[in-house]
Amino acid sequence: MNNPERTCGLAVLVSGNGSNLQAIINRIESGDLNARIACVISNCPDAYALRRAKAHGIPAVIHENSAYASRREYDAALVEILRGYGVKLVVLAGFMRILSNVMVEAFPNAIMNIHPALLPSFPGLHAQQQALDYGVKFTGCTVHFVDCGTDTGPIILQSVVPVEQADTEESLSARIQIEEHRAFPEAIRLFVEGKLAIDGRLVRIQS
Ligand code: GRF
């Protein structure tokens, strides 16, 4: 059983299904990841991920876009919520909002995102369709720290997925998600165990 005083408090930010959230929960519950999810926060009130959080006794917070006039005001309120839960690492797991410098500066090198392509290829939305349209033979997923750009922060882990000729956006996304569910909890484990050293753009993994 994790000791809440000693384990790293995570916030998982979501907007949709939450399969990556589930993978993180499963890895913690298996005893393989020494962290605790202090809260799950969604900007979408009907996100299925909120139900997953509640099913595991994790505080589920709705923080809606519409209540704030600007991105910076939204983020300032978000920082307050995260501080209130004692969060040390913010995990973006399908959170469909771009963060402002307010969040990035409040959690320097302590916000992670997962992207369904091998960055710097195919940043932004519909990365899997971008890969299919370009005709690449391999794509995958990238876990990276978040900076003020879109999908531009220092890369922590990547996993390669071959593209098949018959792939659709759905079939390719499904195979990439299998890799996401392995890579994201692994990157979080490296962070909470203090094994990630950031040197400019380079993230060195210490053994
Ligand atoms: C994932 O494909 C992830 O790469 C992208 O958003 C999706 C979230 O999926 N950032 P889920 O909500 O975790 O199932």
Side-chain angles (χ1 to χ4, degrees), residues 16-21 93-96 113-116 128 177 180-181:
N17 177 26
S19 69
N20 280 282
L21 166 67
F95 186 58
M96 301 303 286
N113 182 46
I114 188 146
H115 183 74
Q128 303 92 332
Q177 281 227 311
E180 291 182 9
H181 299 161

Side-chain angles (χ1 to χ4, degrees), residues 110-125:
I111 307 175
M112 275 185 196
N113 182 46
I114 188 146
H115 183 74
L118 296 175
L119 292 171
S121 294
F122 315 128
L125 294 174

